[in-house]
Amino acid sequence: MLGNFKYDNPTKLYFGDEAQKNLADALKGFGNKVLLTYGGGSIKRNGIYDDVMAALKASGKEVVELPGVMPNPTVDKLNEGRRIARDNNVDFILAVGGGSTIDYAKAVSVSAWYDGDAWERFWVRQDDPKAGERIIPVGAVLTMAGTGSEMNGGSVITNRGKDIKIGKVFGSEVMPKFAVLNPRYTFTVPHRQMVAGIFDTMRHIMEPYFSGDDDSVSDYLAEGLMRSVIASSRAAIKNPEDYEARSNIMWSATWALNTLIGEGKPQDWEVHMIGHAISAYTDATHGMTLSGVSVAYYRHIMKYGIDRFARFARVVWEIPSEGKTNEQLASEGIDALAAWIKEIGAASDIASLGVTPSMLEGIADATLFMTGGYKMLDRSEVIEILRESL
C-alpha cells in the first residue's frame, strides 16, 4: 500500500432503528440556540420533525427554523442562511435531511461569520478557514442515504447565475460533530431519490477504486462495499421497507465517503465533475447525472486502467475469466455496470435529465478537470463522453 496519510474523522455516529433516542443527549454541550435546517417539509409529514423537536425541547434548546433547502443548494440560499445564523447568533446548526441539507449546513457554519464573498473564497478559490475564525458546529439527522455528507467535510454549492456547481472539502473542524442514522427514516424517500442515493454511493466507492495500481487495503474494502451495495439495492428495489437492505445501504453510503477507503490512494473524481456541471445546467438529481455518464466515461478510459477494470469484473460482478483477455473481461464488467444501472432504474442517459446537444459545449466549459484517474481528460474528450451519453 503506497502513500502517506493522516486519518482523522471526529464525527460520532448513532446508528439503528432507535438511533433518534440519542439526539437529546448528543445536543448537550453545544449552546442554547439551535438553527434547525431542512428541506421542503416532508419531515413534517412523516413524523421526523416531531421526533427532532421533542429532542430539542428535552435538551432545553431555543430553536430558529430555516426550511426550504433545495436538492442543489444555491449561493442565494447560502447567503440567506448566513444572515439568519448571524442575526440570531446561533450556537449550533442541526441539519435534518439528506446530503444537500447537510452540505448546506456546513456551508453556513463556515461562512456565517465571514464578512466577504463566501462563494468566491471557499468554493471558487477553495480556501480553508483560518485559525481562530468562528465556525458554527453542525450535527445531522440523516433521512436519505447516498452522499456520506453526515461523516465528511464536503459541501457542494451551486451558483445559478454562473451555471456552476462546485464542491469544497473542508477539514475535520467543519465535519458534523455527530450524526443520527435511523434507516427507517429513509423509508419514505421517493423511489427515484432512493435509487439516486444508491448510485451516488456506488460512485463514491468507484472514485478511489479506479485509480492506482498498487496492492491497497482500500481496494479490498471498496470491493466488499460495492458487492454489498449491489445486493442490497436489489432487495430494496423489491421492497423499499426491507430494513436490512436499507440499513446496509445507509451504512455503506457513510463508509463510501468518510474518506477511509480513499486513504493512501489517488482518486478519480472526474465523473463527479461532469455530473456537477450537468446539474448546474439542468438542476437534475445528482446521483442520476452520475449514472447517466458513468458507462461512457469508463468505456473511454478503460484501456488506460485495463487491469483494474478486469479485476472489477472478476471480483465485483463475479464474471468468469477463463479463456478471456483482460480487455474482454473489462468490457464485460462495464456491461454489467450498465445492466445494473437499468435494473435499479437509474438514468442510463443524460437526455432524460434535460440535457440537449446545444448544452454540451457549455457543460464542458463548466467541468473541472481532475488528476488522479487513469487518464486526465481534456475538453474535447468531455464533449465526446457527453455526446455518447445522450
Side-chain angles (χ1 to χ4, degrees):
M1 184 169 179
L2 304 179
N4 299 282
F5 60 87
K6 170 188 174 184
Y7 183 67
D8 178 18
N9 196 314
T11 304
K12 181 183 291 186
L13 298 180
Y14 300 93
F15 189 97
D17 63 357
E18 295 185 345
Q20 74 279 3
K21 293 182 179 179
N22 296 285
L23 180 56
D25 284 340
L27 286 163
K28 292 178 180 177
F30 287 111
N32 181 60
K33 191 173 288 188
V34 174
L35 180 64
L36 176 65
T37 186
Y38 51 93
S42 62
I43 63 168
K44 291 186 175 180
R45 297 188 293 273
N46 59 28
I48 297 173
Y49 177 86
D50 293 335
D51 289 348
V52 170
M53 291 303 292
L56 287 163
K57 182 178 180 181
S59 58
K61 304 300 184 183
E62 179 183 347
V63 180
V64 178
E65 294 194 30
L66 175 53
V69 179
M70 60 285 290
N72 294 303
T74 65
V75 172
D76 288 344
K77 188 66 178 178
L78 170 59
N79 289 333
E80 176 192 354
R82 295 171 66 200
R83 176 182 56 77
I84 291 172
R86 191 163 182 166
D87 289 351
N88 289 276
N89 195 21
V90 299
D91 303 302
F92 190 77
I93 303 173
L94 182 63
V96 182
S100 293
T101 303
I102 302 170
D103 276 18
Y104 176 74
K106 285 182 276 190
V108 172
S109 80
V110 79
S111 62
W113 290 94
Y114 174 59
D115 288 328
D117 184 337
W119 161 260
E120 178 66 27
R121 179 186 175 188
F122 295 117
W123 283 271
V124 176
R125 298 205 310 264
Q126 295 281 296
D127 285 352
D128 290 307
K130 294 184 175 65
E133 287 189 291
R134 182 173 174 181
I135 299 170
I136 306 170
V138 170
V141 177
L142 189 65
T143 65
M144 176 182 167
T147 70
S149 190
E150 66 276 4
M151 203 179 185
N152 65 45
S155 178
V156 183
I157 298 295
T158 298
N159 189 318
R160 283 274 167 260
K162 298 182 178 180
D163 291 328
I164 300 174
K165 181 177 179 181
I166 302 177
K168 164 65 179 172
V169 180
F170 294 99
S172 59
E173 71 278 6
V174 182
M175 291 182 182
K177 303 303 179 185
F178 65 80
V180 173
L181 282 66
N182 183 337
R184 295 192 186 279
Y185 279 5
T186 68
F187 284 5
T188 58
V189 169
H191 181 85
R192 181 176 172 82
Q193 294 297 325
M194 177 185 74
V195 170
I198 288 169
F199 194 80
D200 195 17
T201 297
M202 189 70 164
R203 276 247 51 103
H204 291 160
I205 304 167
M206 291 193 289
E207 315 297 32
Y209 182 73
F210 285 106
S211 66
D213 55 12
D214 60 314
D215 186 30
S216 172
V217 172
S218 295
D219 295 328
Y220 293 95
L221 294 173
E223 287 164 347
L225 286 170
M226 284 188 281
R227 288 164 63 94
S228 175
V229 170
I230 293 163
S232 298
S233 71
R234 288 169 170 159
I237 294 299
K238 292 178 181 176
N239 177 14
E241 294 192 6
D242 182 327
Y243 180 83
E244 186 172 64
R246 298 302 290 272
S247 64
N248 284 337
I249 290 168
M250 179 176 262
W251 196 229
S252 295
T254 299
W255 284 95
L257 200 58
N258 67 0
T259 74
L260 178 69
I261 64 170
E263 298 297 356
K265 291 203 57 155
Q267 298 183 46
D268 180 7
W269 289 94
E270 195 58 52
V271 166
H272 263 73
M273 299 305 102
I274 298 172
H276 285 173
I278 292 170
S279 288
Y281 265 73
T282 66
D283 204 30
T285 301
H286 173 63
M288 296 300 185
T289 67
L290 305 180
S291 64
V293 298
S294 286
V295 172
Y297 175 74
Y298 280 151
R299 293 203 190 285
H300 188 83
I301 70 162
M302 183 185 78
K303 64 183 179 182
Y304 302 100
I306 197 72
D307 291 343
R308 178 52 51 88
F309 280 97
R311 175 174 166 174
F312 176 65
R314 287 193 310 270
V315 178
V316 176
W317 298 106
E318 299 181 325
I319 296 172
S321 59
E322 186 176 354
K324 297 174 184 174
T325 65
N326 272 359
E327 288 78 7
Q328 290 171 321
L329 197 56
S331 183
E332 288 185 33
I334 298 174
D335 289 343
L337 174 64
W340 177 69
I341 287 171
K342 291 182 179 179
E343 178 187 350
I344 64 174
S348 295
D349 63 83
I350 58 176
S352 64
L353 304 177
V355 176
T356 63
S358 65
M359 294 180 183
L360 301 190
E361 298 268 349
I363 291 172
D365 289 338
T367 299
L368 301 178
F369 297 98
M370 307 292 286
T371 59
Y374 290 118
K375 184 183 192 304
M376 185 175 178
L377 301 184
D378 60 29
R379 183 178 181 276
S380 65
E381 289 174 300
V382 169
I383 293 173
E384 180 182 344
I385 289 166
L386 289 168
R387 188 173 291 115
E388 291 174 357
S389 300
L390 282 171

